[in-house]
């Protein structure tokens, strides 16, 4: 067994940790299982607490340019209160429930762009040590997938997906960031709109589908965005004609009726979403299943871990004061 990270709380000769996640992508609002494997160091220690942190790379909009940082989306306590003997192996199995708003990182095996990870944090002798970090793959809910497939069948092309720090006013958003899936329109709509941004706010009762159309060269140009919010149920997804539903949504968004989007403030707030409509939610599969996915440039697992780790380590001092 190869352990990925030597815990530094006790210095050289301290314990090491390796967290193993279940294979395959998880789902928003779904269960994630795995095992935290500890190996004792040169002396007996008491493991006070083991926590798992769901972390994500997000974009922060600054005054002049956007930069990237790492935020903690959720923290889970999965064990602790036991003695780890010298050079002994100890396994802590876990099952946690991911937030419903967990961003989607892949579609039909294609990496979409967002970077998520599970950070294992071990508290020993009053010191909190950031140990193992594992890349996390998250697939779409059936409703999300169906909606995205409909975009593809209507001629829209996937461009990119990223995570934005901030909140969308008028929605039930709970996480500190939201996912934007950017889609280019077919030729027939290119004269009216340059780009469509889709955001899913998932909850146990269904989806909020926020669609924003850029009606000029750049997104969020003052006075030229139209923003609409629709709703969709999870259980109705198999019975819904998604081509017709998404087409109706897009016609309303492009026409710009009953919604007047505002550019996001520097605090990360999106403009109000005014419009609600019936439907069932899903994610863009058709656009991701095609060659257009290649424009995102997916990361291999090792690169994902390095990307998250580098950013997250810079926030170690700040987080050390948090209560788990």
């Amino acid at each position: 067994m190869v352990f990925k990270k030597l815990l530094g709380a006790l210095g050289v000769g301290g314990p090491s940790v390796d967290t193993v996640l279940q294979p395959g992508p998880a789902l928003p609002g779904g269960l994630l299982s795995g095992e935290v494997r500890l190996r004792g160091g040169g002396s007996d220690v008491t493991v006070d607490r083991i926590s798992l942190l769901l972390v994500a790379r997000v974009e922060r909009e600054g005054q002049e340019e956007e930069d990237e940082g790492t935020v903690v989306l959720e923290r889970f306590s999965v064990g602790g209160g036991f003695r780890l003997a010298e050079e002994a192996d100890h396994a802590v199995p876990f099952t946690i429930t991911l937030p419903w708003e967990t961003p989607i990182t892949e579609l039909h095996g294609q990496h979409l762009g967002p970077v998520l990870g599970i950070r294992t944090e071990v508290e020993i002798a009053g010191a909190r040590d950031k140990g193992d970090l594992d890349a996390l793959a998250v697939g779409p809910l059936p409703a999300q997938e169906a909606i995205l497939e409909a975009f593809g069948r209507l001629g829209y092309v996937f461009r990119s997906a990223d995570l934005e720090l901030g909140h969308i006013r008028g929605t039930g958003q709970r996480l500190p960031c939201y996912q934007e899936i950017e889609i280019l329109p077919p030729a027939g709509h290119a004269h009216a709109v340059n780009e469509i941004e889709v955001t899913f706010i998932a909850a146990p009762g269904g989806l909020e589908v926020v669609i924003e159309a850029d009606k000029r060269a750049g997104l969020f140009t003052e006075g030229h965005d139209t923003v609409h919010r629709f709703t969709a149920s999870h259980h109705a997804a198999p019975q819904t004609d998604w081509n017709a539903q998404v087409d109706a949504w897009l016609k309303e968004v492009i026409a710009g009726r009953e919604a007047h989007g505002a550019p996001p403030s520097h605090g990360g707030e999106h403009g109000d979403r005014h419009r609600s409509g019936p439907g069932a939610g899903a994610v863009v599969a058709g656009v991701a299943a095609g060659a257009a996915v290649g424009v995102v440039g997916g990361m291999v697992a090792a690169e994902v871990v390095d990307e998250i780790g580098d950013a997250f380590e810079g926030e170690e001092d700040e987080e050390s004061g948090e209560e788990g």
Side-chain angles (χ1 to χ4, degrees), residues 52-324:
L52 300 179
L53 282 65
L54 174 61
V55 297
R57 291 295 303 273
V58 300
E59 292 186 0
R60 295 184 173 98
E61 293 186 0
Q63 295 288 337
E64 298 180 355
E65 60 181 12
E66 293 183 355
D67 64 340
E68 289 189 333
T70 303
V71 297
V72 178
L73 304 183
E74 191 69 87
R75 179 188 293 267
F76 310 89
S77 180
V78 297
F82 61 87
R83 193 75 174 168
L84 181 63
E86 176 183 351
E87 297 184 354
D89 292 327
H90 186 90
V92 179
F94 64 84
T95 297
I96 59 177
T97 302
L98 295 176
W100 279 93
E101 296 173 32
T102 301
I104 303 163
T105 68
E106 68 173 54
L107 197 55
H108 298 311
Q110 300 279 350
H111 185 66
L112 295 183
V115 179
L116 299 182
I118 294 291
R119 166 74 73 185
T120 304
E121 193 173 77
V122 182
E123 294 182 40
I124 296 175
R128 182 183 296 175
D129 193 289
K130 293 174 181 176
D132 195 16
L133 177 66
D134 294 88
L136 177 65
V138 179
L141 295 166
Q144 294 171 320
E145 184 173 342
I147 290 174
L148 293 174
E149 285 178 339
F151 273 99
R153 288 191 294 266
L154 292 170
Y156 285 76
V157 178
F158 175 80
R159 180 181 181 183
S160 65
D162 57 27
L163 304 181
E164 296 281 348
L165 189 65
H167 289 79
I168 301 176
R169 290 193 297 269
T171 69
Q173 181 187 342
R174 296 178 179 272
L175 293 186
C177 63
Y178 55 91
Q179 182 172 20
E180 288 183 337
I181 300 172
E182 299 179 6
I183 304 170
L184 300 178
H189 289 155
H191 68 283
V193 62
N194 292 319
E195 188 174 76
I196 295 287
E197 288 187 342
V198 180
T199 296
F200 296 109
I201 308 295
L207 295 176
E208 293 177 80
V209 185
V210 182
I211 302 179
E212 181 168 0
D214 171 28
K215 309 204 77 170
R216 289 187 59 186
L219 286 176
F220 309 123
T221 304
E222 262 185 72
H224 293 274
D225 303 349
T226 60
V227 181
H228 291 238
R229 181 175 61 87
F230 305 93
T231 58
S233 83
H234 297 300
H235 69 269
Q239 293 81 36
T240 301
D241 181 348
W242 284 110
N243 281 14
Q245 181 64 85
V246 172
D247 187 49
W249 289 351
L250 288 168
K251 286 177 179 177
E252 182 173 330
V253 170
I254 292 173
R257 296 192 309 271
E258 301 179 18
H260 304 283
S265 67
H266 292 301
E269 293 282 352
H270 246 301
D272 291 331
R273 274 60 175 165
H274 301 289
R275 178 66 176 171
S276 295
V283 177
V284 182
V287 289
V293 174
V295 301
V296 176
M299 300 180 185
V300 297
E303 291 173 337
V304 171
V305 171
D306 290 342
E307 287 275 343
I308 301 176
D310 291 345
F312 196 69
E313 292 297 338
E315 300 170 8
E316 184 170 352
D317 294 339
E318 177 181 346
E319 291 180 10
S320 63
E322 294 180 2
E323 291 295 329

Side-chain angles (χ1 to χ4, degrees), residues 1-5 7 16-22 32-39 50-53 78 90-94 96 117-122 130-136 305:
M1 184 185 301
V2 177
F3 282 81
K4 297 182 181 178
K5 184 70 180 286
L7 298 177
S16 56
V17 62
D18 179 29
T19 297
V20 179
L21 303 178
Q22 66 185 29
L32 176 67
S33 298
E35 191 174 71
V36 178
R37 300 170 181 173
L38 295 163
R39 174 169 292 172
I50 301 174
S51 300
L52 300 179
L53 282 65
V78 297
H90 186 90
V92 179
F94 64 84
I96 59 177
I118 294 291
R119 166 74 73 185
T120 304
E121 193 173 77
V122 182
K130 293 174 181 176
D132 195 16
L133 177 66
D134 294 88
L136 177 65
V305 171

